[in-house]
Amino acid sequence: MFGNKNGSSRICLRVQLLPLTAALKKTPLFDFHRERGGKMVDFAGWSMPVQYKDSHIASHMHTREHCSVFDVSHMLQTKVHGKDRVKFMESLVVADIAELKDNQTDQGYLYVVSNAGCADKDSAHMKARLAEFKAAGFDVDLEFLDEALIALQGPSMAQVLQEGLKDDLSKLAFMTSTLATVFGVPGCRVTRCGYTGEDGVEISMPQSRVVELTEKLLASSEVKLAGLGARDSLRLEAGLCLYGNDIDETTTPVEATLVWTIGKRRRQTKDFPGAHIIVPQIKAKTARKRVGLVSSGPPVRQHTPILTPDGKVIGEVTSGCPSPCLKMNVAMGYLDAAFAKNGTPIQVEVRKKSVPATVSKMPFVPTKYYSG
């Protein structure tokens, strides 16, 4: 979970890829994906494109070198209204929402984007907490949005998007957002963020206009469609967690090296969910820690055991893939904290054989977020 600087809290987590099943939900771009050769799979109960006619590696590298459009309309978008909206949101997350600055005129709400795989339980949890707040006399309301959401990611994003904006995009820094007309589509919320490690934006808009806007973006030779396959390898190179793999309800921010998500004031007040467990861990450390790993040879995948050089099991890989940019295997996982120092030689067990690996800092590929 993390906050942006426009007075909105974004909950940005992802879930595990599953085999295609019946009765899947469809985004407003479903037919658009099929018409353009998208290979559709079940992702968090949604039919989503895993890739298009280009190979996974080609799509990955195009995003790193140019820019790509990703459909993220399966994410849950919510507005939290009312004068007690900050207090309400801080009862749900660890972030210091009160310190976030609005970079536009006061809209009177917080904008929240939640993980698609957790959408049902997140919305139920928010509704239950809302009932508690209303019963206690607080002024707060929820509005669940039925809008489309796309992400434009890559180094040429600003060049492409600026052509469709009147406002100067250079004034929009990482984790800030603005309301704008984009290539003639009014009422778009443009947030400078993403899940690839590249400079990028997420654009929320009415469902009826998403095909039109996506087509206008694709009119640029810089832009191609990209699917979940490239999105996963891009986020792993950037050292970003995937919900259901690298973090879940049993993982604390300290174990996951995500302490930066917890505001300084929140650590002092200790009034956030799980504070009685998390705050002591910040001071005393934890027995295990999320780390990066690099190796050569056969690819390292989820659930691969992590071993000491003499073969003792000390952890498990949670995500792994061959890095298209680095031409080596990258992975992340949890291991005993005593072995978590960068540069520590370890082993991973691939197909019942021990393969040398090294604990590595993350991100594996430097991130390029735009700070203004």
Side-chain angles (χ1 to χ4, degrees), residues 183-200:
F183 284 103
V185 178
C188 294
R189 174 169 289 281
V190 181
T191 305
R192 203 151 195 167
C193 66
Y195 195 48
T196 63
E198 295 293 331
D199 184 20

Side-chain angles (χ1 to χ4, degrees), residues 55 89 115 136-137 167 176 178 195 231 259 266 274 281 299 338 340 342:
S55 69
M89 204 65 221
N115 170 255
D167 297 334
T176 64
T178 188
Y195 195 48
R231 192 168 174 83
V259 175
R266 305 301 305 274
Q281 284 187 348
N342 291 337

Side-chain angles (χ1 to χ4, degrees), residues 48-59:
M48 299 292 290
V50 67
Q51 70 178 70
Y52 296 86
K53 295 178 181 178
D54 288 344
S55 69
H56 162 219
I57 293 178
S59 184

Side-chain angles (χ1 to χ4, degrees), residues 12 60 77 89 101 148 285:
C12 196
H60 178 112
Q77 301 178 71
M89 204 65 221
K101 296 178 177 61
K285 309 304 180 183

Side-chain angles (χ1 to χ4, degrees), residues 101-123:
K101 296 178 177 61
D102 198 334
N103 68 324
Q104 56 184 324
T105 58
D106 185 11
Q107 299 295 322
Y109 63 82
L110 301 176
Y111 172 61
V112 184
V113 179
S114 308
N115 170 255
C118 298
D120 290 341
K121 63 181 179 181
D122 281 351
S123 58

